[in-house]
Amino acid sequence: MPQSVAGPEIERLIQLLARMPGLGPRSARRAALQLIKKRDTLLGPLAEAMRVAAERIVVCSSCGNVDTSEPCTICRDATRDPSTIVLVEDVSDLWALERSGAVNARYHVLGGVLSALDGVRPEHLNIERLVERASDPAVKEIILALNATVDGQTTAHYVTDALRHLGLTITRLAHGVPVGGELDYLDEGTLSAAIRSRTAF
Ligand SMILES: [Zn+2]
């Protein structure tokens, strides 16, 4: 056991930071030190922002998004197309799509994907509420914006089956060559999916 170089308060800060995605013990120590050095301009405001977030953040009971209001800002936004729901695995995917500005619809956050390996079954996901929302006559299309992984695609098939009786248009994101991508660098799966999903030019 290496000897601790700092008091328990600092050790605790490092241990908590090390739990963040992308931060190991080494970068957690660097982050902690940076916070401590910038106590007034960074540590204080960050602690306050975290306290407020912990207090006020709620999960939207309609779509599963996280926000400080219920229903969330997106669900309350009357300028959004009510005929389309974009299905995503996680809030991070919702944020990514919002950053792209590609779609002005509402979302539905599944909260994961089906996985036999991790024991994730349909009842663990936000599917029932999706079927409920999709049953609204205003809804015409569900866009499956799920990851192009085996579990993501298994989930896409399951959700499609669960929605089939509603007779909606169900679409999924195109699979293919990324913008700026060079064919030589693509894996075979991406390349063959791109050929299969080719469009008229
Ligand atoms: Zn919402």
Side-chain angles (χ1 to χ4, degrees):
M1 194 68 180
Q3 210 182 341
S4 175
V5 292
E9 296 82 3
I10 294 173
E11 282 299 329
R12 173 139 177 87
L13 179 63
I14 294 169
Q15 278 167 17
L16 288 171
L17 285 169
R19 288 197 212 163
M20 300 294 294
L23 287 191
R26 180 189 293 265
S27 21
R29 278 195 297 274
R30 288 178 57 192
L33 194 56
Q34 183 71 355
L35 286 166
I36 292 162
K37 283 181 181 166
K38 304 204 166 172
R39 185 176 172 159
D40 294 335
T41 55
L42 195 56
L43 182 56
L46 183 67
E48 175 61 8
M50 284 179 156
R51 191 190 60 74
V52 171
E55 225 167 64
R56 298 202 194 143
I57 282 174
V58 284
V59 174
C60 177
S61 62
S62 179
C63 74
N65 186 18
V66 290
D67 204 345
T68 50
S69 62
E70 154 77 355
C72 72
T73 310
I74 293 177
C75 283
R76 279 187 293 119
D77 182 354
T79 69
R80 292 191 182 244
D81 176 7
S83 71
T84 305
I85 296 175
V86 185
L87 184 67
V88 292
E89 177 181 333
D90 199 5
V91 174
S92 59
D93 305 320
L94 183 161
W95 286 350
L97 284 163
E98 281 294 290
R99 280 199 307 275
S100 79
V103 66
N104 187 37
R106 297 208 172 85
Y107 296 87
H108 194 83
V109 182
L110 267 186
V113 281
L114 298 174
S115 166
L117 204 64
D118 298 326
V120 181
R121 293 192 297 275
E123 62 267 30
H124 299 129
L125 302 177
N126 197 9
I127 296 175
E128 219 170 290
R129 183 79 182 104
L130 171 68
V131 177
E132 231 176 271
R133 291 181 68 199
S135 307
D136 184 324
V139 176
K140 306 288 182 219
E141 180 180 356
I142 308 290
I143 302 176
L144 305 174
L146 298 171
N147 293 330
T149 55
V150 172
D151 287 344
Q153 295 312 297
T154 305
T155 309
H157 285 292
Y158 184 90
V159 168
T160 304
D161 281 343
L163 295 171
R164 200 178 296 284
H165 67 285
L166 297 171
L168 302 165
T169 302
I170 299 178
T171 55
R172 69 163 167 79
L173 299 187
H175 294 169
V177 182
V179 174
E182 292 180 36
L183 297 196
D184 197 22
Y185 288 93
L186 295 182
D187 64 279
E188 293 76 20
T190 304
L191 207 46
S192 67
I195 288 282
R196 283 197 306 274
S197 327
R198 68 188 180 280
T199 52
F201 189 66

PDB file of all heavy atoms in Angstrom, residues 60-65 70-76 107 133, ligand 1:
ATOM      1  N   CYS A  60     -37.132  13.090 -17.198  1.00  0.00           N
ATOM      2  CA  CYS A  60     -38.442  13.388 -17.791  1.00  0.00           C
ATOM      3  C   CYS A  60     -39.279  12.111 -17.848  1.00  0.00           C
ATOM      4  O   CYS A  60     -38.837  11.102 -18.389  1.00  0.00           O
ATOM      5  CB  CYS A  60     -38.251  13.971 -19.194  1.00  0.00           C
ATOM      6  SG  CYS A  60     -39.799  14.282 -20.056  1.00  0.00           S
ATOM      7  N   SER A  61     -40.477  12.171 -17.286  1.00  0.00           N
ATOM      8  CA  SER A  61     -41.310  10.965 -17.230  1.00  0.00           C
ATOM      9  C   SER A  61     -41.873  10.608 -18.599  1.00  0.00           C
ATOM     10  O   SER A  61     -42.342   9.501 -18.816  1.00  0.00           O
ATOM     11  CB  SER A  61     -42.441  11.150 -16.227  1.00  0.00           C
ATOM     12  OG  SER A  61     -43.259  12.220 -16.660  1.00  0.00           O
ATOM     13  N   SER A  62     -41.807  11.555 -19.541  1.00  0.00           N
ATOM     14  CA  SER A  62     -42.309  11.264 -20.881  1.00  0.00           C
ATOM     15  C   SER A  62     -41.228  10.612 -21.737  1.00  0.00           C
ATOM     16  O   SER A  62     -41.440   9.548 -22.315  1.00  0.00           O
ATOM     17  CB  SER A  62     -42.808  12.559 -21.529  1.00  0.00           C
ATOM     18  OG  SER A  62     -43.278  12.282 -22.833  1.00  0.00           O
ATOM     19  N   CYS A  63     -40.051  11.256 -21.820  1.00  0.00           N
ATOM     20  CA  CYS A  63     -39.056  10.791 -22.797  1.00  0.00           C
ATOM     21  C   CYS A  63     -37.800  10.196 -22.179  1.00  0.00           C
ATOM     22  O   CYS A  63     -36.996   9.606 -22.894  1.00  0.00           O
ATOM     23  CB  CYS A  63     -38.679  11.934 -23.728  1.00  0.00           C
ATOM     24  SG  CYS A  63     -37.615  13.168 -22.962  1.00  0.00           S
ATOM     25  N   GLY A  64     -37.577  10.361 -20.877  1.00  0.00           N
ATOM     26  CA  GLY A  64     -36.385   9.785 -20.259  1.00  0.00           C
ATOM     27  C   GLY A  64     -35.162  10.679 -20.330  1.00  0.00           C
ATOM     28  O   GLY A  64     -34.073  10.285 -19.900  1.00  0.00           O
ATOM     29  N   ASN A  65     -35.316  11.900 -20.878  1.00  0.00           N
ATOM     30  CA  ASN A  65     -34.223  12.864 -20.924  1.00  0.00           C
ATOM     31  C   ASN A  65     -33.945  13.391 -19.510  1.00  0.00           C
ATOM     32  O   ASN A  65     -34.796  13.291 -18.646  1.00  0.00           O
ATOM     33  CB  ASN A  65     -34.644  14.023 -21.855  1.00  0.00           C
ATOM     34  CG  ASN A  65     -33.533  15.017 -22.100  1.00  0.00           C
ATOM     35  OD1 ASN A  65     -32.362  14.724 -21.884  1.00  0.00           O
ATOM     36  ND2 ASN A  65     -33.915  16.197 -22.565  1.00  0.00           N
ATOM     37  N   GLU A  70     -39.794  19.241 -15.470  1.00  0.00           N
ATOM     38  CA  GLU A  70     -40.566  18.044 -15.800  1.00  0.00           C
ATOM     39  C   GLU A  70     -41.945  18.477 -16.300  1.00  0.00           C
ATOM     40  O   GLU A  70     -42.648  19.146 -15.557  1.00  0.00           O
ATOM     41  CB  GLU A  70     -40.637  17.164 -14.543  1.00  0.00           C
ATOM     42  CG  GLU A  70     -41.797  16.242 -14.420  1.00  0.00           C
ATOM     43  CD  GLU A  70     -41.671  14.993 -15.299  1.00  0.00           C
ATOM     44  OE1 GLU A  70     -40.717  14.879 -16.074  1.00  0.00           O
ATOM     45  OE2 GLU A  70     -42.568  14.185 -15.212  1.00  0.00           O
ATOM     46  N   PRO A  71     -42.370  18.197 -17.560  1.00  0.00           N
ATOM     47  CA  PRO A  71     -41.584  17.520 -18.588  1.00  0.00           C
ATOM     48  C   PRO A  71     -40.368  18.354 -19.014  1.00  0.00           C
ATOM     49  O   PRO A  71     -40.301  19.552 -18.722  1.00  0.00           O
ATOM     50  CB  PRO A  71     -42.554  17.392 -19.748  1.00  0.00           C
ATOM     51  CG  PRO A  71     -43.864  17.934 -19.326  1.00  0.00           C
ATOM     52  CD  PRO A  71     -43.687  18.612 -18.019  1.00  0.00           C
ATOM     53  N   CYS A  72     -39.445  17.719 -19.728  1.00  0.00           N
ATOM     54  CA  CYS A  72     -38.181  18.369 -20.061  1.00  0.00           C
ATOM     55  C   CYS A  72     -38.374  19.480 -21.102  1.00  0.00           C
ATOM     56  O   CYS A  72     -39.432  19.591 -21.719  1.00  0.00           O
ATOM     57  CB  CYS A  72     -37.175  17.340 -20.567  1.00  0.00           C
ATOM     58  SG  CYS A  72     -37.525  16.703 -22.212  1.00  0.00           S
ATOM     59  N   THR A  73     -37.338  20.288 -21.294  1.00  0.00           N
ATOM     60  CA  THR A  73     -37.386  21.425 -22.219  1.00  0.00           C
ATOM     61  C   THR A  73     -37.782  20.974 -23.628  1.00  0.00           C
ATOM     62  O   THR A  73     -38.563  21.649 -24.306  1.00  0.00           O
ATOM     63  CB  THR A  73     -36.001  22.109 -22.270  1.00  0.00           C
ATOM     64  OG1 THR A  73     -35.582  22.358 -20.925  1.00  0.00           O
ATOM     65  CG2 THR A  73     -36.050  23.417 -23.019  1.00  0.00           C
ATOM     66  N   ILE A  74     -37.253  19.849 -24.084  1.00  0.00           N
ATOM     67  CA  ILE A  74     -37.537  19.363 -25.440  1.00  0.00           C
ATOM     68  C   ILE A  74     -39.004  18.934 -25.554  1.00  0.00           C
ATOM     69  O   ILE A  74     -39.679  19.256 -26.530  1.00  0.00           O
ATOM     70  CB  ILE A  74     -36.570  18.213 -25.813  1.00  0.00           C
ATOM     71  CG1 ILE A  74     -35.146  18.757 -25.935  1.00  0.00           C
ATOM     72  CG2 ILE A  74     -37.011  17.509 -27.088  1.00  0.00           C
ATOM     73  CD1 ILE A  74     -34.083  17.725 -26.228  1.00  0.00           C
ATOM     74  N   CYS A  75     -39.507  18.216 -24.569  1.00  0.00           N
ATOM     75  CA  CYS A  75     -40.917  17.782 -24.604  1.00  0.00           C
ATOM     76  C   CYS A  75     -41.878  18.977 -24.567  1.00  0.00           C
ATOM     77  O   CYS A  75     -42.952  18.932 -25.139  1.00  0.00           O
ATOM     78  CB  CYS A  75     -41.221  16.830 -23.449  1.00  0.00           C
ATOM     79  SG  CYS A  75     -40.608  15.165 -23.730  1.00  0.00           S
ATOM     80  N   ARG A  76     -41.458  20.064 -23.919  1.00  0.00           N
ATOM     81  CA  ARG A  76     -42.335  21.245 -23.804  1.00  0.00           C
ATOM     82  C   ARG A  76     -42.230  22.166 -25.007  1.00  0.00           C
ATOM     83  O   ARG A  76     -43.053  23.075 -25.168  1.00  0.00           O
ATOM     84  CB  ARG A  76     -41.988  22.033 -22.531  1.00  0.00           C
ATOM     85  CG  ARG A  76     -42.611  21.446 -21.269  1.00  0.00           C
ATOM     86  CD  ARG A  76     -42.390  22.350 -20.066  1.00  0.00           C
ATOM     87  NE  ARG A  76     -40.987  22.425 -19.701  1.00  0.00           N
ATOM     88  CZ  ARG A  76     -40.270  23.546 -19.703  1.00  0.00           C
ATOM     89  NH1 ARG A  76     -40.804  24.690 -20.032  1.00  0.00           N
ATOM     90  NH2 ARG A  76     -38.993  23.506 -19.368  1.00  0.00           N
ATOM     91  N   TYR A 107     -37.590  13.170 -28.614  1.00  0.00           N
ATOM     92  CA  TYR A 107     -36.781  11.960 -28.474  1.00  0.00           C
ATOM     93  C   TYR A 107     -37.451  10.977 -27.528  1.00  0.00           C
ATOM     94  O   TYR A 107     -38.404  11.314 -26.817  1.00  0.00           O
ATOM     95  CB  TYR A 107     -35.408  12.312 -27.904  1.00  0.00           C
ATOM     96  CG  TYR A 107     -34.589  13.187 -28.816  1.00  0.00           C
ATOM     97  CD1 TYR A 107     -34.716  14.582 -28.761  1.00  0.00           C
ATOM     98  CD2 TYR A 107     -33.715  12.629 -29.730  1.00  0.00           C
ATOM     99  CE1 TYR A 107     -33.970  15.384 -29.607  1.00  0.00           C
ATOM    100  CE2 TYR A 107     -32.962  13.433 -30.576  1.00  0.00           C
ATOM    101  CZ  TYR A 107     -33.099  14.802 -30.501  1.00  0.00           C
ATOM    102  OH  TYR A 107     -32.366  15.601 -31.337  1.00  0.00           O
ATOM    103  N   ARG A 133     -46.407   6.387 -26.064  1.00  0.00           N
ATOM    104  CA  ARG A 133     -46.240   7.670 -26.772  1.00  0.00           C
ATOM    105  C   ARG A 133     -46.502   7.501 -28.259  1.00  0.00           C
ATOM    106  O   ARG A 133     -47.100   8.367 -28.897  1.00  0.00           O
ATOM    107  CB  ARG A 133     -44.818   8.216 -26.571  1.00  0.00           C
ATOM    108  CG  ARG A 133     -44.541   8.671 -25.165  1.00  0.00           C
ATOM    109  CD  ARG A 133     -43.133   9.223 -25.067  1.00  0.00           C
ATOM    110  NE  ARG A 133     -42.962  10.472 -25.817  1.00  0.00           N
ATOM    111  CZ  ARG A 133     -41.797  10.966 -26.199  1.00  0.00           C
ATOM    112  NH1 ARG A 133     -40.686  10.315 -25.926  1.00  0.00           N
ATOM    113  NH2 ARG A 133     -41.736  12.099 -26.860  1.00  0.00           N
TER     114      ARG A 133
HETATM  115 ZN    ZN B   1     -38.942  14.878 -22.174  1.00  0.00          ZN
END
